[in-house]
Amino acid sequence: IINRAVKQPIKVLLVSIDACRFDNISFQTTPWISSLRARRYLNCYSNATWTIPGHVEMLSGEDAVKYSDILFPDGCTGEESLLWARYNKKPDFIQEYLSKKGIICCAFVGGGYMGEDFGFNKGFDVYIDYVDSVDKRPERDDMIRLIKILNKTKKSYFAFYHTYDVHGWGRFDKQDTTKLIGMEWRSKNGETERKRCLNSIVIVDENVKNIYESMGKNSYLIITADHGDEYTADGKYIGHGGPQRESVIHVPLIIYGPGIEHINISEKIYI
């Protein structure tokens, strides 16, 4: 895809659904994504169990374990992660390579550990860190507006879309009566944390569809995640960031676009 983009206008959308485990993607939860005649990797894994190292792998192709002394300190705090980012102890990112090739690079990210303070903006021409809120999030419509502007340039571009919509307990709205009690959410209708997460990814499916379709012809879509999440059998949230359990490191990887064969690949790979 990159080689083609250097020779002719190619548009690539990389979607990172933060904390989206492999089994979150299904015809019930993501009907549009699941209907794509795409290349699907059935055994794709992340070496990481939380956001920063997961995206180091995703955007660089480097094994995060190589940076384990920095990325996995015992009791790692936000301040320690920020210190690591400011000293720029990262490998080169794909957007840096693409930018040098004259490809426009833009990103919409969901804040937190993906904020500019953590250095992931390196190489992007535009890096918009939208703030999560209980309101209807504007990032999809803003990104579509930007993509329409990029389409008019007739140049190749790489767009990175990161969302926390399924992270932890998923998406919330103003009418939500749910309250946080310890590490568990409880709602009047008895909805579990796992159910809330699966309900939230339906919104991601719609957002990705609208963004991708706004790109027009000659566009490629890559969907993956930095890590997964763990729940109990009855749907209570456990989390991530700890041991490399199957549900935490098994992530989706879907590639779709012109010339991409429709195939399921069972070979084990890493993001």
Side-chain angles (χ1 to χ4, degrees), residues 8 36 39 53 118 124 161 178 234:
Q8 60 178 310
L36 297 175
R39 179 183 299 171
F118 294 94
F124 282 109
Y161 176 54
T178 303
D234 59 351

Side-chain angles (χ1 to χ4, degrees), residues 190-209:
E191 184 180 48
T192 66
E193 293 94 285
R194 177 67 178 144
K195 180 65 174 176
R196 178 179 295 280
C197 170
L198 294 177
N199 287 342
S200 298
I201 200 170
V202 174
I203 300 170
V204 175
D205 184 66
E206 179 185 353
N207 286 351
V208 172
K209 173 181 181 291

